[in-house]
Amino acid sequence: MYYTIDGLRMFVDERGAAQPEVILFVHGFPFDHSMWTNQMAVFSAHYHCIAPDLRGHGGTSAVVPNDNQSMTLDRMAGDLLALLDQLAPRKPVTLCGLSMGGYIAFAMWRRQPGRFARLVLADTKATPDTPEVLARRQAQADTVKAEGAKAISTSMINGLLARQHRDDVIGVSVRRMIESTSAQGIIATLHALAGRPDSTQTLATIDIPTLVIVGEKDQTTPPADAHYMVERLPANPRFIMIPQAGHLSPLENPAAFNTALSDFLAGS
Ligand code: MLT
């Protein structure tokens, strides 16, 4: 269904609405709510599961008429906090973000920590972009501006997925998500990603139960990035490495991801 947030028409996949506890699933770049399809199907039996399409992705437009503010991850965080205002959950929320979704989760935590009961940081990192990544983002933005999203999808898929998933049904669904994101959405989000702050100091403030998950073959935010977060999170975080998965562990190995999430929910 659609919600209106700050003049934006935001698409939200929402299931299990009768359940009192909310899990908010925040997707990565440049994907949409459907990357959480295997989690929505399972966890909506016991939780009110919410998977929005972020500004500029999926069914949510990149541009609001007469809006001259730029796209930032902090603004995307504000969109999600406004969505929670509308949903008015009865209990504190479990916030689960993958990669860019994790960067956005840090921004949400900095703004309104009292809203959250648990945090899941999947295939993400706290540190900002290196000069090499900044240069790659600029090159991607230039390519997408000239030739559209299809021009970057194959190289992105090769960097995102474990080799065995690149040409199977998972590769097909990731290609569909990338290629259906508008050029405008991709370019604006690349700039937003490049401009995000270092969240290392934020880690020390996260005093709620936290689960850190990473695909063993994640090349974008490798296991070393997960260890970096685990070492700095104060509340004895859980750490799970997902076998046979790259950067999109909830899609590449949903059974292992769901077991990790379900054990965490049951134990915290
Ligand atoms: C993502 O999956 O959200 C992106 O890989 C994040 C990034 O490029 O830093």
Side-chain angles (χ1 to χ4, degrees):
M1 65 181 289
Y2 284 89
Y3 286 81
T4 301
I5 308 283
D6 187 18
L8 184 73
R9 206 162 164 261
M10 175 179 271
F11 177 78
V12 180
D13 184 6
E14 190 176 358
R15 303 189 211 171
Q19 304 296 334
E21 260 198 84
V22 166
I23 306 178
L24 174 59
F25 291 101
V26 188
H27 66 75
F29 165 80
F31 315 125
D32 61 45
H33 70 277
S34 67
M35 63 151 285
W36 298 111
T37 193
N38 299 300
Q39 288 66 49
M40 297 293 283
V42 168
F43 290 96
S44 57
H46 299 290
Y47 293 87
H48 179 183
C49 292
I50 298 162
D53 286 346
L54 294 164
R55 194 178 274 271
H57 295 76
T60 303
S61 60
V63 175
V64 176
N66 305 320
D67 174 51
N68 53 14
Q69 288 182 60
S70 56
M71 174 111 91
T72 63
L73 297 193
D74 200 49
R75 194 168 186 208
M76 290 173 164
D79 293 338
L80 298 185
L81 291 169
L83 174 65
L84 289 179
D85 284 343
Q86 289 195 29
L87 291 164
R90 280 171 271 163
K91 294 184 170 183
V93 168
T94 296
L95 178 58
C96 175
L98 180 132
S99 197
M100 176 175 75
Y103 312 155
I104 293 170
F106 289 134
M108 294 173 76
W109 172 263
R110 282 191 285 270
R111 285 167 68 155
Q112 294 188 12
R115 289 191 101 127
F116 303 106
R118 304 182 194 90
L119 181 62
V120 182
L121 297 167
D123 300 286
T124 191
K125 63 181 176 183
T127 50
D129 285 349
T130 60
E132 187 194 355
V133 172
L134 288 171
R136 194 195 66 213
R137 294 206 198 280
Q138 188 57 54
Q140 282 180 325
D142 293 344
T143 303
V144 171
K145 190 170 180 191
E147 300 168 46
K150 284 193 175 150
I152 60 164
S153 53
T154 299
S155 67
M156 281 201 86
I157 286 167
N158 290 341
L160 291 166
L161 299 180
R163 189 174 299 279
Q164 67 263 41
H165 299 307
R166 290 178 195 161
D167 298 314
D168 69 8
V169 63
I170 296 166
V172 170
S173 83
V174 173
R175 183 178 297 279
R176 181 201 56 74
M177 288 192 283
I178 296 172
E179 295 185 356
S180 60
T181 309
S182 68
Q184 196 173 34
I186 290 180
I187 294 165
T189 309
L190 282 165
H191 288 301
L193 286 162
R196 77 183 188 281
D198 188 345
S199 291
T200 299
Q201 302 301 323
T202 304
L203 292 172
T205 70
I206 298 175
D207 56 359
I208 53 173
T210 303
L211 170 64
V212 176
I213 299 185
V214 64
E216 65 174 352
K217 294 180 182 153
D218 188 338
Q219 300 174 53
T220 306
T221 51
D225 288 321
H227 287 298
Y228 180 94
M229 295 190 292
V230 167
E231 283 159 14
R232 288 163 178 79
L233 285 161
N236 194 19
R238 282 195 194 203
F239 172 65
I240 301 284
M241 182 112 81
I242 304 289
Q244 293 164 33
H247 187 56
L248 295 182
S249 57
L251 264 181
E252 293 180 81
N253 192 341
F257 189 97
N258 288 355
T259 299
L261 180 52
S262 156
D263 289 350
F264 173 65
L265 293 168
S268 58

